[in-house]
Amino acid sequence: MRIASIGGGPAGLYACILAKQRNPAYRCAVYERNRVDDTFGFGVVFSDQTLGNLLEADGPTYRAITEAFAHWDDIAVHFGGQVIRSTGHGFSGLSRKTLLQILARRAEELGVELHFEHEVRDPESIDADLVLVADGVNSRLRDGWSADFEPEIDWRPNRFVWLGTTFPFEAFNFWFEEDDAGLWRVHAYRYEPARSTFIVECTEETFARSGLVEDDEEATRRYFEALFSKQLAGHPLLTNRSVWRQFPTVKNRRWSRGRFVLMGDAAHTAHFSIGSGTKLALEDAISLVDALEETPTVEGALARYEEVRRPQVESTQRAAQVSLEWFENVERYTHLDPLTFSFSLLTRSLRITHGNLALRDPEFVRKVDEGFKADNAAFEPPPGRVPPMFVPYRLRDMKLNNRIVVSPMCMYSAEDGTVDDWHLVHLGSRAMGGAGLVMTEMTNVSRDGRITPGCAGIYDQSHVAAWRRITDFVHRHTEAKIGLQLGHAGRKGATKKMWEGIDDPLETGDWPLVAPSALPYRPDSQTPTPMVRADMDQVLADYVRATELALEADFDMLELHVAHGYLLSTFVSPLTNQRTDEYGGSLENRLRFPLEVFDAIRRTWPDERPLSVRISATDWAAGGVDGDDAVRIARAFRDHGVDIVDVSTGQVVHHERPRYGRLFQTPYAERIRLEANVPTMTVGAISGYSDVNSVLAAGRADLCVLARAHLFDPYWTRHAAVAQGYDLEWPDPYKALARYNHRFE
């Protein structure tokens, strides 16, 4: 096997090292247009986990790195005149130049041919079975063969500059310093005994006001030596190609082209705020060489490499994206108290959680919990230490004894809108399971407003007794509150039940559909009739009647469904509303009818009972509702008296391209909460109670809404209490559980 690397960075060098180490018969060569020590920047960062991967892959390289690095456990956040420290993080800094020299020496020891100051002009002429395209973020080969790799490069708006200093920081430091230009963020860490990296970041607006220019290194150095003179304590700042840059998030639809394969920054980037660029490059090398060992052909190995490696990279990129967006929008968080701000920063990627931090630094998390309890309990909280999820919450006169909500989940099991024993057991068991608030499935305000023939309704007087049976059970036997979600399917109506074919139109027994515009949801869906004023008046009356019936049924809260492509949602989205009257066009016009409905419900619903609204904060489609719009939508409902916004996303158009992942909708809830100044509920891929505590303690939402977790385990909230050592009172008939020796294995 002959392997050649175009590029002498960490990815190419390390891949050749591992290939030769595992099979000395391989012929490996590295071609780099620069000198081995010709690199910009200062230090790189490794987590303890990454170092463990290097130890397993190649002991000599690992030992050389660990002999040269600077290790630290603490993170120090400097904000609001305070320094908040957290320990137990386990990171190491290393000079980028030293790393490249270590890799080059190890490669030479193993017999890798090194060709520095050698630019490859014709990659096809390289005599090798496998060619590694590892020539960095500005890869000429990748861009030259863009039709094959299909690169996607997202240049982020913030500006940053890599500086160094002789100040030997003892922790990883984040500084947030404001001057007349704006707010500056600093990421600073030591990478050898007397050298530290000092990265300065700011918004484009702050950079413009500062008067600095991209390539004036000396002016940049002087500016920040003066601004951070106290922190630097007389130590100078150092420059090394310290020009102002914008971060490119690099993705490629394909990583290989024949015998050529992308690696490292040429294939993907992840923001420096999670220190992952070098990590990704080295782990690319490990994964590629593993694939070469497992698969007999180069073609098969490259397919295997991408199959295994891509999900890992994309997971890291999702975390990096959330992290970089946090730093891009730090101004959003500056009203938080220093402790909450620091917790938000530490958990910004949504991968470090309340539980992770409790293991690393229990004292820090104890302070976070105490602060949350003191600042956020709407009425007398339980005594002693209380996890954030069990701190009480209040909406108008409705008191919740914890922050867990059972999400609305369609059961498709009603008969002409009438719920039965299934719904009693479904909702009753989850109320018994300890959740603070239990929400019904989307309950339709008219027969023609149903999604499927099996959907629940509240459009007939006979429905009241069926619902009252459920609300009476919840109120009599549990401490939970119960809310009713009101909706109208609009153009997504008259479809089969989920297990018969989700969103598939009914073959018989359908009913006429209405919507703001004559646009079917799918090509094979029924085309709805555009609504005229008489249709709107009828729908408005249906919602008022449903609200009156909901009061008779004694629900504690109502939620208006303005999400997921149902009737009111299709008024809001420009992709589904093509009207030219006063109900179409601008966002204000598109919101007009949903707000008319909301106002009618608010006038009918008692003042002491809360009213929420569920929105889709993005359509996940070009030209649709986005995050900026979501803030404006939330503000509009806030101004009309909404008590809390239930923030979901998507399901509005069939051609959407959602970006799923852990807590993938929470950033939208956080932004709405902070920018629209309205309480929020977050929903979507909340994986456990540690995620819940993280979301709440960081101020990302006020309530956490779980669906599948509650389907899998109706007693999820009680089990979360037991796992955290928190005493959640059981109903009297279950008091024997106080003596139960529980096991989860």
Side-chain angles (χ1 to χ4, degrees), residues 41 83 112 182 195 242 280 290 359 369 454 482 510 519 549 603 640:
V83 181
V112 176
R195 289 289 188 275
S242 300
L280 285 176
D290 285 345
L359 293 173
D369 289 353
I482 183 166
D510 62 355
L519 299 171
L549 296 176
R603 288 192 298 269
H640 283 248

Coordinates of all heavy atoms in Angstrom, one line a residue, residues 41 83 112 182 195 242 280 290 359 369 454 482 510 519 549 603 640:
G41 N -0.7 31.0 14.6 CA -1.4 30.6 15.9 C -0.4 30.3 17.0 O 0.8 30.4 16.8
V83 N -15.1 36.7 39.4 CA -14.5 35.5 38.8 C -15.1 34.3 39.3 O -15.1 34.0 40.5 CB -13.0 35.5 39.1 CG1 -12.3 34.3 38.4 CG2 -12.3 36.8 38.7
V112 N 8.5 7.4 7.3 CA 7.6 8.2 6.4 C 8.5 9.2 5.7 O 9.4 9.8 6.3 CB 6.5 8.9 7.2 CG1 5.7 9.8 6.3 CG2 5.7 7.9 8.0
G182 N -17.7 48.1 22.2 CA -18.6 47.0 22.4 C -18.0 46.0 23.3 O -17.1 46.2 24.1
R195 N 4.1 30.5 28.0 CA 3.4 31.0 26.9 C 1.9 30.6 27.0 O 1.6 29.5 27.4 CB 4.0 30.4 25.6 CG 5.3 30.9 25.2 CD 5.2 32.4 24.7 NE 6.5 32.8 24.1 CZ 7.5 33.3 24.8 NH1 7.4 33.4 26.1 NH2 8.6 33.7 24.2
S242 N -1.2 37.4 13.1 CA -2.4 37.7 13.9 C -3.3 38.7 13.2 O -3.5 39.9 13.5 CB -2.0 38.3 15.3 OG -1.2 37.3 16.0
L280 N -10.3 16.6 16.0 CA -10.9 16.0 14.8 C -9.9 15.4 13.8 O -10.1 14.3 13.3 CB -11.9 17.0 14.2 CG -13.2 17.3 14.9 CD1 -14.0 18.4 14.1 CD2 -14.0 16.1 15.0
D290 N -7.9 2.5 10.9 CA -8.8 1.4 11.3 C -9.5 0.8 10.1 O -9.6 -0.4 9.9 CB -9.8 1.8 12.3 CG -9.1 2.1 13.7 OD1 -8.0 1.6 13.9 OD2 -9.8 2.7 14.6
L359 N -20.3 15.9 38.8 CA -19.3 15.0 39.0 C -17.9 15.7 39.0 O -17.0 15.3 39.8 CB -19.3 13.9 37.9 CG -20.5 13.0 37.9 CD1 -20.4 12.1 36.6 CD2 -20.5 12.1 39.1
D369 N -27.4 25.4 42.1 CA -28.8 24.9 42.5 C -29.4 25.8 43.6 O -30.6 26.2 43.5 CB -28.7 23.5 43.1 CG -28.4 22.5 42.0 OD1 -28.4 22.8 40.8 OD2 -28.2 21.3 42.3
G454 N -59.5 9.5 14.2 CA -59.3 9.1 15.6 C -58.8 10.2 16.5 O -58.5 10.0 17.7
I482 N -53.4 19.9 34.6 CA -53.7 19.4 33.3 C -54.1 20.5 32.4 O -55.0 21.3 32.7 CB -54.7 18.2 33.3 CG1 -54.9 17.6 31.9 CG2 -56.0 18.6 34.0 CD1 -55.7 16.3 31.9
D510 N -63.3 11.2 3.8 CA -62.6 12.4 4.1 C -63.6 13.6 4.2 O -64.8 13.4 4.1 CB -61.6 12.7 3.0 CG -62.2 12.9 1.6 OD1 -63.4 12.7 1.5 OD2 -61.4 13.3 0.7
L519 N -52.9 25.5 -1.1 CA -51.7 24.8 -1.2 C -51.8 23.5 -0.5 O -51.9 23.5 0.8 CB -50.5 25.7 -0.6 CG -50.3 27.0 -1.3 CD1 -49.3 27.8 -0.5 CD2 -49.8 26.8 -2.7
L549 N -66.2 25.0 26.6 CA -66.4 23.6 26.9 C -65.2 23.2 27.8 O -65.3 22.4 28.7 CB -66.5 22.7 25.7 CG -67.7 23.0 24.8 CD1 -67.7 22.1 23.6 CD2 -69.0 22.7 25.6
R603 N -60.3 36.4 26.1 CA -61.5 37.0 26.6 C -62.5 36.0 27.3 O -63.2 36.3 28.2 CB -62.2 37.8 25.5 CG -61.5 39.1 25.1 CD -62.5 39.9 24.2 NE -62.9 39.2 23.0 CZ -62.2 39.3 21.8 NH1 -61.1 40.0 21.7 NH2 -62.6 38.6 20.8
H640 N -50.2 40.4 23.6 CA -51.6 40.1 23.6 C -52.0 39.3 24.9 O -53.1 38.8 25.0 CB -52.1 39.3 22.4 CG -52.2 40.3 21.2 ND1 -53.4 40.5 20.6 CD2 -51.3 41.0 20.5 CE1 -53.3 41.4 19.6 NE2 -52.0 41.7 19.5

